[in-house]
Amino acid sequence: MSDALSLDHLRGLDAGDPLKGFRADFVLPEGVIYLDGNSLGPAPKAALNALQHAGSAEWAQDLIRSWNAAGWFQLPLELGDRVGRLIGAAPGQVAVCDSTSINIFKALSAAAGLRPDRKTVLAEAGSFPTDVYIAEGFVASQPGYRLRLEGQDGASILDMLGPDVGVVLLNHVNYRSGRLADLVAVTRAIHEAGALVIWDLCHSAGALPIGLDAAEVDFAVGCSYKYLNGGPGAPAFIYVAERHQAAARQPLSGWWGHARPFAFETHYEGAPAIARFLCGTQPILSLRALKGALEVWDRVDLDALRAKSLQLTDLFIALVETRCADHGLALETPRDPAVRGSQVSFSHPHAYEIVQALIERQVIGDFRAPDVLRFGFTPLYLSHEDVWIAVETLRDILETGLWREPRFAARHAVT
Amino acid sequence: MSDALSLDHLRGLDAGDPLKGFRADFVLPEGVIYLDGNSLGPAPKAALNALQHAGSAEWAQDLIRSWNAAGWFQLPLELGDRVGRLIGAAPGQVAVCDSTSINIFKALSAAAGLRPDRKTVLAEAGSFPTDVYIAEGFVASQPGYRLRLEGQDGASILDMLGPDVGVVLLNHVNYRSGRLADLVAVTRAIHEAGALVIWDLCHSAGALPIGLDAAEVDFAVGCSYKYLNGGPGAPAFIYVAERHQAAARQPLSGWWGHARPFAFETHYEGAPAIARFLCGTQPILSLRALKGALEVWDRVDLDALRAKSLQLTDLFIALVETRCADHGLALETPRDPAVRGSQVSFSHPHAYEIVQALIERQVIGDFRAPDVLRFGFTPLYLSHEDVWIAVETLRDILETGLWREPRFAARHAVT
């Protein structure tokens, strides 16, 4: 093993890591190496404290008064602005609410409405499935609309642009391969073809710097329970560029999106800005946990985060290819760091069993059908030494054939 | 004051109250009389315990494994069946998910799709506003559809039924007046006219027995943070009668509603039953608090609940009309208990200020624009003596004119 991959060298990198202090902000079980923060981020201490306070004090003691006194009603836009900093959005363009799926529907509806003469929606066959499912639901509900998927006939999204394409729904980082799209160039090409873009940031928000405003993105959505560590199923976010807000319409026009929600008027009038993308009452306890989690993010330098993320993923690839060679693992993630998110995937015919064996050995990654081992690298709480231990554990499982034991073969649902 | 309204008599009723033991299941601040459980239910101890466990153990310690090990993924349907018992729905017809507003949109979409040749949606001008707002959003998104509102030209819903009406969206208990609709008779009349009904149960679920299956209701929605005490903004529920499930389609077709969500297939195929009304990932921490709250409800006899509810609202009306006469309060709630929910509203030109003064004196009700004082009566944690104290406090505020003090005049948002 080269010096650069030695444990001593890696410990030296950890000692000089500018982000090492963030590890103390998280609760992580003793002995676990958690490479699944791209599926469910672990619990920030501040999130657990916020949750406890929201339940025992705000709800139980202050009751209905907390809608005002604890700022519950303002949480979607307050947290939206805080997420905004992480995705390159100036204030007033992001709301935290509902689920990613629901927000995709809102964004599709609004974007299509802004391009009324263009009835084709483009999406990616290889995107996280819910994006396609929602796009299918949207076009089925709108007479004359159709959905075309990139990746089914060899054509690229850019090849598929044309005068009938009004909206393009894309994943910034692919959930399976970890490939990072060129947000600036692709957005520009879509605009040049007269269409609008919706970027799904589920696997990039909190993983790397994103410049939505600078790239003149139209719409974006994403979740807050992966890299942002907001808690299981924490509400998602939606970004609507300020220039589109006045004209944008979406049919989930619930009372929280009304210009005067507490006037209890008989007819809907959308709020003048991003608030018109709110719909109904939000799950406050989940939002309060997320608010706690964002206290950590308020202190994070995203360039330092990206630098360490790439160090960790480079290291993982190099170690696996050195220490686990000849075991049939094939890299599915781009080797070029410029087009890599913050995860590394390998395919293997027995990916499921190997992942289960790793979990038993306290190295938690996940399996993605049909044959992918997926590992997320989250610089706030992972060290270079953690990566080293994870790979040594993987090596041991492969060398000993531990994964062949029958207990690893039973399939369960995993998200 | 008649003997039936004397404090001694009321204390006797409390001593014999079969529901009195439930008070110990709730955290309520010392000295507060909480008449706002129809807006935000107070915290059941079991809900706070569940929340604590979900955060500190399930999330922080078990991490991603809790999707299976703690049954997170099953919560929407598990809790749906438990809510189902409270609304007269056999298992497999209720899902807990998203917000009431979102679920109204799903139900409208599905119901309209089942009556494709009828393009008129009926709703009530006096319904909780989000119902109308969502119906407006729905019809605006569907070419050829229109919305007609009862209460704008004197016609009743039943008068407005006709060959073009496909869907009727109604409130079971009016949020403002507390009037209870005749669910059985109105459902029958709507069916006889060839239309489908969607009942909004926000102000009746957990307030009185409801027989959705027995009345052959088509769709229903409701929230879980009022009488059900699920926590601020806890996810809502949606009921779809089993006979409609196979044919029902709704466009919010996210991955949780897929027949095989973890197969990550490229195309959407709706789950065979109620699960197709799920959309995206749900806010688990909020759902876990609700699960705790439902542990209380699993033990409640709904007939006993209804009997005490009517005793409390009868008592409140009688006491206010006896003790606060000549202060300009006008009853807005039906005097006939057969058409009354579990709340009592009075109008008064200075309703806002009086409610604020009551809150300062620890009697928490709420104000509804423009001139309504609204009080919810929740038999699980309120006693007859509580009602007596509340009215004596109201009397004192009116007699002394306390409410005229300037600090009560500033308007805040209240939900």
Side-chain angles (χ1 to χ4, degrees):
Chain A
M1 193 151 45
S2 74
D3 283 353
L5 300 180
S6 73
L7 185 54
D8 275 354
H9 177 72
L10 299 176
R11 285 177 172 159
L13 292 179
D14 288 334
D17 174 8
L19 300 176
K20 66 183 175 187
F22 283 103
R23 174 69 182 77
D25 286 303
F26 292 86
V27 179
L28 279 163
E30 186 68 28
V32 163
I33 294 179
Y34 194 61
L35 306 181
D36 214 4
N38 54 329
S39 183
L40 172 65
K45 293 172 184 171
L48 295 179
N49 291 340
L51 190 64
Q52 164 78 14
H53 189 262
S56 300
E58 295 172 11
W59 178 21
Q61 292 300 319
D62 296 341
L63 291 157
I64 191 76
R65 295 170 284 201
S66 287
W67 281 108
N68 295 309
W72 287 352
F73 192 70
Q74 286 70 41
L75 284 171
L77 302 190
E78 177 197 340
L79 302 191
D81 283 346
R82 289 166 77 173
V83 169
R85 186 187 78 86
L86 304 177
I87 59 177
Q93 300 178 106
V94 180
V96 171
C97 56
D98 301 320
S99 64
T100 302
S101 299
I102 298 282
N103 288 336
I104 291 172
F105 188 86
K106 296 174 190 167
L108 281 169
S109 299
L114 294 171
R115 291 290 180 275
D117 298 328
R118 293 164 168 249
K119 308 279 193 194
T120 298
V121 174
L122 298 187
E124 303 158 288
S127 76
F128 186 78
T130 212
D131 298 51
V132 173
Y133 299 165
I134 291 286
E136 288 180 323
F138 173 72
V139 301
S141 76
Q142 297 298 313
Y145 276 77
R146 67 170 182 160
L147 173 65
R148 290 188 63 205
L149 296 184
E150 182 232 12
Q152 294 203 311
D153 56 5
S156 78
I157 283 285
L158 300 187
D159 295 337
M160 294 165 77
L161 291 168
D164 194 53
V165 174
V167 190
V168 184
L169 170 61
L170 296 173
N171 287 240
H172 190 203
V173 170
N174 184 277
Y175 79 105
R176 203 165 173 283
S177 69
R179 176 175 292 276
L180 171 66
D182 186 337
L183 184 123
V184 172
V186 174
T187 298
R188 188 185 307 125
I190 289 168
H191 286 172
E192 284 169 0
L196 298 175
V197 70
I198 303 167
W199 284 103
D200 180 336
L201 310 179
C202 282
H203 289 271
S204 60
L208 45 102
I210 306 171
L212 293 184
D213 287 349
E216 298 185 7
V217 166
D218 304 295
F219 297 87
V221 299
C223 90
S224 69
Y225 53 78
K226 298 180 184 292
Y227 292 97
L228 296 181
N229 312 308
F237 62 84
I238 181 166
Y239 162 92
V240 181
E242 189 180 13
R243 67 186 177 281
H244 291 314
Q245 290 175 7
R249 298 283 180 278
Q250 59 91 11
L252 301 173
S253 47
W255 72 302
W256 278 37
H258 196 281
R260 293 166 297 279
F262 294 101
F264 289 13
E265 295 175 11
T266 303
H267 294 288
Y268 183 76
E269 179 188 327
I274 185 67
R276 72 171 55 177
F277 282 81
L278 299 178
C279 181
T281 306
Q282 292 300 302
I284 296 299
L285 298 172
S286 286
L287 280 173
R288 288 290 285 106
L290 173 59
K291 181 174 175 176
L294 291 175
E295 290 173 15
V296 178
W297 280 104
D298 288 346
R299 294 182 270 120
V300 175
D301 173 337
L302 292 171
D303 292 320
L305 182 90
R306 176 63 169 163
K308 182 174 169 187
S309 160
L310 291 179
Q311 279 175 28
L312 295 178
T313 52
D314 276 338
L315 173 64
F316 185 74
I317 294 169
L319 281 171
V320 169
E321 294 190 336
T322 306
R323 299 285 293 165
C324 306
D326 304 324
H327 283 291
L329 291 167
L331 183 66
E332 294 289 324
T333 298
R335 205 173 289 279
D336 175 3
V339 292
R340 188 195 306 148
S342 199
Q343 72 181 64
V344 176
S345 299
F346 284 93
S347 59
H348 188 285
H350 294 285
Y352 181 84
E353 294 86 344
I354 296 169
V355 166
Q356 297 309 309
L358 279 166
I359 290 171
E360 187 180 89
R361 296 282 300 276
Q362 303 259 65
V363 175
I364 302 180
D366 64 25
F367 165 75
R368 281 295 174 263
D371 62 353
V372 167
L373 303 92
R374 191 179 72 156
F375 303 97
F377 293 88
T378 46
L380 298 187
Y381 49 85
L382 289 175
S383 66
H384 298 78
E385 181 169 354
D386 288 333
V387 175
W388 190 90
I389 297 171
V391 176
E392 288 306 296
T393 305
L394 175 60
R395 173 185 162 91
D396 188 63
I397 286 166
L398 294 167
E399 294 273 331
T400 62
L402 177 69
W403 61 268
R404 295 179 192 274
E405 297 194 9
R407 69 181 179 282
F408 299 124
R411 299 276 169 128
H412 298 291
V414 236
T415 60
Chain B
M1 194 153 43
S2 76
D3 283 354
L5 299 181
S6 73
L7 185 53
D8 275 354
H9 177 72
L10 299 177
R11 285 178 173 159
L13 293 179
D14 287 334
D17 174 8
L19 300 176
K20 66 182 175 187
F22 283 103
R23 174 68 182 77
D25 286 304
F26 292 87
V27 179
L28 279 164
E30 187 67 28
V32 163
I33 295 179
Y34 194 61
L35 306 181
D36 215 4
N38 54 330
S39 183
L40 172 65
K45 292 173 184 170
L48 295 179
N49 291 341
L51 191 63
Q52 164 77 16
H53 190 262
S56 300
E58 296 172 10
W59 178 20
Q61 293 299 320
D62 296 340
L63 291 158
I64 192 75
R65 293 169 286 202
S66 288
W67 281 108
N68 295 309
W72 286 351
F73 192 71
Q74 286 70 41
L75 284 171
L77 302 189
E78 177 197 341
L79 302 191
D81 282 346
R82 290 167 77 174
V83 169
R85 186 186 78 85
L86 304 176
I87 59 177
Q93 300 178 105
V94 181
V96 171
C97 55
D98 301 319
S99 63
T100 302
S101 300
I102 298 281
N103 287 337
I104 291 172
F105 188 86
K106 295 174 190 167
L108 281 170
S109 300
L114 294 170
R115 291 292 180 273
D117 298 328
R118 292 165 168 249
K119 308 279 193 195
T120 298
V121 174
L122 298 187
E124 302 158 288
S127 75
F128 186 77
T130 212
D131 299 51
V132 173
Y133 300 164
I134 290 287
E136 289 179 322
F138 173 72
V139 301
S141 76
Q142 296 296 315
Y145 275 78
R146 66 170 182 160
L147 173 66
R148 289 188 64 204
L149 296 185
E150 182 232 13
Q152 294 202 312
D153 55 5
S156 78
I157 283 286
L158 300 186
D159 296 336
M160 295 165 75
L161 291 168
D164 194 52
V165 174
V167 189
V168 185
L169 170 61
L170 296 173
N171 287 240
H172 190 203
V173 171
N174 185 276
Y175 80 104
R176 203 166 173 282
S177 69
R179 178 176 290 276
L180 172 66
D182 186 337
L183 185 123
V184 172
V186 174
T187 298
R188 188 185 306 123
I190 290 168
H191 287 171
E192 284 170 359
L196 299 175
V197 70
I198 303 167
W199 285 103
D200 180 336
L201 310 178
C202 281
H203 288 270
S204 60
L208 44 102
I210 305 171
L212 294 184
D213 287 350
E216 298 185 6
V217 167
D218 303 295
F219 297 87
V221 300
C223 91
S224 68
Y225 53 79
K226 297 179 185 294
Y227 292 97
L228 296 182
N229 312 308
F237 62 84
I238 181 166
Y239 162 91
V240 180
E242 188 181 13
R243 65 186 178 282
H244 292 313
Q245 290 176 5
R249 298 283 179 278
Q250 58 91 12
L252 301 174
S253 47
W255 72 301
W256 277 37
H258 196 281
R260 294 167 297 279
F262 294 100
F264 290 12
E265 296 175 10
T266 303
H267 295 289
Y268 183 77
E269 179 187 327
I274 186 65
R276 72 171 57 177
F277 282 79
L278 300 178
C279 181
T281 306
Q282 291 302 302
I284 296 300
L285 298 173
S286 286
L287 281 173
R288 287 290 285 108
L290 173 59
K291 180 174 176 176
L294 291 174
E295 290 173 16
V296 178
W297 280 104
D298 288 347
R299 293 181 272 121
V300 174
D301 174 336
L302 291 171
D303 292 320
L305 181 90
R306 176 63 169 162
K308 182 174 169 188
S309 160
L310 290 179
Q311 279 175 27
L312 296 179
T313 52
D314 276 338
L315 173 63
F316 186 73
I317 293 169
L319 281 171
V320 169
E321 294 189 337
T322 306
R323 299 286 292 164
C324 306
D326 305 324
H327 284 291
L329 291 166
L331 184 64
E332 295 288 324
T333 298
R335 206 174 288 279
D336 176 3
V339 292
R340 188 195 306 148
S342 200
Q343 72 181 63
V344 177
S345 299
F346 285 93
S347 59
H348 188 284
H350 294 284
Y352 182 84
E353 294 85 342
I354 296 168
V355 166
Q356 298 308 309
L358 279 166
I359 291 171
E360 187 180 89
R361 296 281 300 274
Q362 303 260 66
V363 175
I364 302 180
D366 64 26
F367 165 75
R368 281 295 174 264
D371 63 353
V372 168
L373 302 92
R374 192 180 69 157
F375 303 97
F377 293 88
T378 46
L380 299 187
Y381 50 84
L382 288 176
S383 66
H384 298 77
E385 181 170 353
D386 288 332
V387 175
W388 191 91
I389 297 171
V391 176
E392 288 305 296
T393 306
L394 175 61
R395 172 185 163 91
D396 188 63
I397 286 167
L398 293 167
E399 294 273 331
T400 62
L402 177 70
W403 60 268
R404 295 179 193 275
E405 297 194 8
R407 69 181 178 281
F408 299 123
R411 300 272 169 130
H412 297 290
V414 237
T415 60

